[in-house]
Amino acid sequence: MKLAVISANGRSGRLIVEEAVDRGIDVTAIARNEENTTSAEKYLKKDLMNLTKNDLKEFDVVIDAFGTWENDKLALHSTTLKHLCDILSKSKTRLIVVGGAGSLYTNKEHTKQIAEAKDFPDMYKPVANAMKNALEELRQRNDVRWTYISPALDFQPEGKRTGEYILAGEELKFNNANESIISYADYAIAIIDEATKGNHIQKRISVLKK
């Protein structure tokens, strides 16, 4: 398998690359930075929006780890994902997207989302809505073999790697300790598991701490 991780120098991207490298996967890190801060031996220095079909044609799976919290750049969640979908359109390459938790549903009817709750923090609403919009647009792409993976509500950059997680669906779930939580490290495990043996094509799934 040949795998590419876009925005690989970010916090989640680096851990996803590390997980892939540790498993012996042929992985290429892609980022716009001059320096490769990942553990991947192969590195493509290129801005996401400048990537072409030719750049990605050799990969079996492309993982999109792009994310931004800057208010004036939030629309990039949609524009960058659209660009990736356009250049991967009708190809066999899978696209796995590092998603957000704000769009997970809180009811069985799938009419209410986490970010719509009255107690959802205002500071997180702009990025949650931007990622929700990107997911809604992604759902319209029947020409791409995409999978969108939402983390648990409490997504911890410095959390421990336990090596275990619970695979869930579109709804907010809690573990036996009544927690919706996962570390970036365990999330990376779930991402690479989906890349290597998952088959959730054109579906959104979620993961949380076991």
Side-chain angles (χ1 to χ4, degrees):
M1 166 184 283
K2 288 190 175 182
L3 184 149
V5 180
I6 296 171
S7 297
N9 281 336
R11 289 187 297 182
S12 62
R14 283 197 300 269
L15 287 172
I16 291 167
V17 169
E18 182 178 340
E19 183 67 30
V21 169
D22 287 348
R23 297 195 198 187
I25 296 172
D26 184 346
V27 56
T28 298
I30 301 175
R32 63 184 180 179
N33 312 75
E34 289 289 343
E35 182 184 2
N36 174 19
T37 62
T38 78
S39 56
E41 293 184 2
K42 298 178 181 179
Y43 184 70
L44 173 61
K45 177 190 172 296
K46 201 165 191 179
D47 187 274
L48 192 164
M49 292 299 292
N50 293 328
L51 291 171
T52 65
K53 289 184 179 181
N54 192 57
D55 289 325
L56 302 182
K57 67 180 183 180
E58 68 178 275
F59 298 108
D60 300 295
V61 180
V62 171
I63 297 172
D64 175 19
F66 172 82
T68 181
W69 286 81
E70 299 178 52
N71 285 333
D72 61 339
K73 296 180 180 179
L74 291 178
L76 286 173
H77 286 103
S78 287
T79 55
T80 56
L81 191 51
K82 180 182 184 300
H83 176 66
L84 288 177
C85 285
D86 287 345
I87 63 178
L88 292 176
S89 177
K90 297 181 181 179
S91 73
K92 294 182 179 180
T93 302
R94 290 189 63 186
L95 173 63
I96 297 179
V97 182
V98 173
S103 59
L104 288 170
Y105 295 106
T106 57
N107 63 346
K108 293 182 179 180
E109 295 77 21
H110 291 186
T111 58
K112 298 179 180 180
Q113 296 179 328
I114 293 174
E116 297 170 342
K118 292 182 180 180
D119 58 350
F120 190 81
D122 288 339
M123 65 179 294
Y124 297 137
K125 285 183 179 179
V127 68
N129 287 330
M131 298 185 82
K132 179 189 72 173
N133 292 338
L135 172 59
E136 290 176 353
E137 293 164 9
L138 182 63
R139 292 186 193 275
Q140 307 304 314
R141 300 298 298 246
N142 295 321
D143 57 329
V144 180
R145 302 180 71 232
W146 62 265
T147 303
Y148 188 98
I149 305 183
S150 289
L153 186 57
D154 186 359
F155 196 21
Q156 299 189 332
E158 306 301 330
K160 293 182 179 180
R161 184 186 190 278
T162 69
E164 298 181 307
Y165 62 89
I166 298 170
L167 180 64
E170 295 260 21
E171 298 170 21
L172 174 65
K173 298 293 184 183
F174 296 89
N175 59 21
N176 290 335
N178 200 33
E179 298 172 323
S180 175
I181 184 174
I182 195 164
S183 66
Y184 275 43
D186 283 343
Y187 179 84
I189 295 173
I191 288 278
I192 300 303
D193 281 350
E194 179 62 30
T196 56
K197 56 188 179 184
N199 194 35
H200 296 92
I201 306 300
Q202 294 181 352
K203 294 180 180 179
R204 189 262 290 274
I205 57 176
S206 61
V207 292
L208 66 153
K209 180 180 177 182
K210 192 169 183 178

